[in-house]
Amino acid sequence: MGKGKRNSMMGQRQHLLLLIFSLVLLFQTSNAHNITRLLAKHPSLSTFNHYLTLTHLAQEINRRTTITVLALDNASMSSLLAKNPSIFTVKNILSLHVLLDYFGAKKLHQIRDGTALAATMFQATGVAPGVSGFVNITDFKGGKVGFGPEDNDGNLNSFFVKSVEELPYNISVVQISKALPSAVAEAPTPGPSELNITGIMSSHGCKVFADTLLENHEAMGTYEDNVNGGLTVFCPLDDPFKAFLPKYKNLTASKKASFLEFFGVPVYQSLSMLKSNNGLMNTLATDGASKFDFTVQNEGEEVTLKTRINTVKITGTLLDEQPVAIYTIDKVLMPKELFKASALSTAPAPAPEEAADAPKGSKSKSKAKSKSKAKAAPTPDSDSPAESPDEDPADQLADDESGGMFWRADRLAAFVLSLFLVFFLL
């Protein structure tokens, strides 16, 4: 082979290597922005940065792939904090300053038709009624860009100051002149012990589940005991839970309580935490040998909960105010401790569901208050005869393995490309 040909092949190989390294870098750095680090370079925005962390909005911002943060300087934050709002109210106000779209300085000054309406993280929480969670952005003549909540009678009181950081088209941080006024966001937000969690569920599509929970004093007491220390609820929407009621009514009293407690987790889990902490998760019903757990999995933005019986999908967020989060799910998640896999293959008309006898003593819940009345373990005679679910070791192993670590698609792609690179160089 001639020297010129070898040099040509070496040049092609170098170009290919550069391409591979670029692809690896692309996969590794995608979605890698960190709002706290970006703002740390700007001392004049330190108070704003501090409260993004304190309210846990920083985690939600980092999770998003397309986002714009309307940053406030320390003077603007001082004016906002002078009213002594609770940390929960501060979170609502600041979430109104996080747009769910990308607006760099160039785009702000080139808004088509002069005006754009952007959804915010406040709107995404589900607690903003009507259009109160949207922000109007208008490009005025002379290059002035104004911002204002959509429910502010068209008043645009805050203006673009400068671009702080831009990572097109992933995250943009722009400074605005003052906080966006919003009576809804600024309204006093109750602390966790004052939250009416069943009221929130009832008014957002989970009334049947909420009413059933209210009727069961034992399960409702367990939820209330965990509100202050941390609670995450996955409530089934009305239609699927209503269809499931005949099966629920066939359970014994103790198993009804365990079933309802199965939809609560005794720790706060934001959506971003659920996406990053895939694996087995204990519930309010977990009690020694009675595991009552499920597996959390995610694929992209979709989060699912899985038992040996079935899999459900998180469809919405009703509340995400630490220490309480409430999500809607599209089906009734069924614990393997109470139901058999054959339950899903029965005729359309709901048939009585036999429940397994599982010892149930007083529960030990993380961060929960002591219950005034401990649960007594049911005796075999106290429950209706039931056929125990299949608990063979192979099935249990499968459950344990499903709760392990899951490869992220981007990491896997980078790993495959790296292997290709190694073999190419050999």
Side-chain angles (χ1 to χ4, degrees):
M1 184 183 297
K3 182 176 181 181
K5 190 173 183 180
R6 283 198 301 271
N7 289 339
S8 176
M9 291 180 63
M10 286 296 294
Q12 292 176 357
R13 180 174 294 185
Q14 289 174 351
H15 285 301
L16 185 56
L17 290 178
L18 287 174
L19 175 61
I20 292 172
F21 276 124
S22 298
L23 289 172
V24 172
L25 185 62
L26 173 65
F27 280 110
Q28 294 284 12
T29 59
S30 60
N31 305 335
H33 65 260
N34 185 308
I35 184 62
T36 304
R37 292 176 184 171
L38 291 175
L39 291 175
K41 297 182 286 184
H42 305 275
S44 64
L45 306 175
S46 60
T47 305
F48 181 77
N49 192 15
H50 171 70
Y51 276 91
L52 286 185
T53 301
L54 201 62
T55 58
H56 297 275
L57 280 172
Q59 295 176 355
E60 294 298 316
I61 292 170
N62 293 340
R63 170 178 82 78
R64 301 276 181 169
T65 55
T66 305
I67 205 91
T68 299
V69 179
L70 305 179
L72 303 172
D73 64 14
N74 294 340
S76 297
M77 285 297 297
S78 294
S79 298
L80 187 159
L81 297 171
K83 301 175 184 178
N84 295 316
S86 70
I87 191 63
F88 307 105
T89 299
V90 172
K91 181 174 183 178
N92 285 343
I93 295 172
L94 296 188
S95 65
L96 186 65
H97 293 69
V98 183
L99 312 181
L100 304 182
D101 198 354
Y102 181 87
F103 288 93
K106 183 177 180 181
K107 182 176 178 179
L108 287 173
H109 290 92
Q110 295 179 348
I111 294 176
R112 183 178 298 177
D113 300 324
T115 297
L117 194 63
T120 68
M121 199 170 280
F122 183 47
Q123 181 70 25
T125 62
V127 299
V131 295
S132 58
F134 288 85
V135 169
N136 183 308
I137 308 171
T138 298
D139 182 17
F140 295 104
K141 292 181 179 179
K144 196 174 186 180
V145 180
F147 300 82
E150 180 64 8
D151 63 345
N152 194 34
D153 298 325
N155 296 320
L156 304 180
N157 310 42
S158 189
F159 299 94
F160 173 81
V161 175
K162 64 180 179 180
S163 174
V164 178
E165 298 281 346
E166 293 186 24
L167 300 175
Y169 292 89
N170 193 353
I171 183 171
S172 171
V173 182
V174 299
Q175 183 182 336
I176 58 176
S177 58
K178 62 180 180 178
L180 302 177
S182 169
V184 176
E186 294 169 14
T189 304
S193 60
E194 301 170 309
L195 282 175
N196 182 352
I197 60 173
T198 53
I200 293 171
M201 289 187 277
S202 293
S203 59
H204 292 88
C206 295
K207 186 178 188 324
V208 181
F209 176 79
D211 290 347
T212 306
L213 182 59
L214 282 170
E215 292 170 1
N216 193 301
H217 300 297
E218 184 177 4
M220 189 66 218
T222 304
Y223 277 78
E224 290 174 341
D225 283 346
N226 282 271
V227 166
N228 284 316
L231 177 67
T232 302
V233 184
F234 303 95
C235 59
L237 292 167
D238 282 339
D239 287 344
F241 198 80
K242 188 182 297 183
F244 187 81
L245 279 178
K247 286 185 172 64
Y248 167 78
K249 291 176 180 178
N250 273 297
L251 296 174
T252 62
S254 64
K255 290 171 184 174
K256 285 178 180 177
S258 293
F259 173 73
L260 293 173
E261 291 166 354
F262 178 66
F263 293 88
V265 173
V267 291
Y268 166 75
Q269 293 279 342
S270 69
L271 198 57
S272 61
M273 293 166 71
L274 290 171
K275 289 181 178 180
S276 60
N277 297 329
N278 284 188
L280 285 176
M281 185 168 291
N282 289 335
T283 67
L284 295 176
T286 300
D287 180 25
S290 300
K291 294 186 177 181
F292 281 100
D293 52 26
F294 54 77
T295 299
V296 179
Q297 298 183 31
N298 80 286
E299 183 175 348
E301 293 297 302
E302 183 176 287
V303 180
T304 58
L305 315 177
K306 180 181 180 181
T307 68
R308 186 188 305 167
I309 310 301
N310 68 337
T311 300
V312 307
K313 181 172 64 175
I314 293 179
T315 56
T317 302
L318 304 188
L319 178 70
D320 185 1
E321 299 285 349
Q322 194 179 31
V324 180
I326 305 176
Y327 306 101
T328 56
I329 52 178
D330 63 343
K331 292 181 289 189
V332 177
L333 187 64
M334 299 171 67
K336 63 181 183 295
E337 287 81 2
L338 298 180
F339 303 99
K340 298 174 70 67
S342 59
L344 296 184
S345 59
T346 55
E353 183 62 45
E354 296 185 348
D357 288 323
K360 193 175 182 63
S362 59
K363 296 182 175 66
S364 173
K365 304 176 182 67
S366 65
K367 302 182 183 179
K369 293 181 179 178
S370 301
K371 299 184 69 174
S372 58
K373 192 163 61 175
K375 293 189 177 180
T379 63
D381 293 335
S382 67
D383 286 340
S384 57
E387 189 176 354
S388 296
D390 189 9
E391 290 286 353
D392 61 80
D395 286 337
Q396 187 59 51
L397 178 60
D399 278 355
D400 292 340
E401 290 177 345
S402 67
M405 297 298 292
F406 296 91
W407 277 93
R408 290 290 299 259
D410 53 353
R411 299 287 180 84
L412 181 58
F415 178 70
V416 172
L417 285 170
S418 298
L419 285 178
F420 175 78
L421 174 60
V422 171
F423 283 110
F424 183 81
L425 288 172
L426 293 178

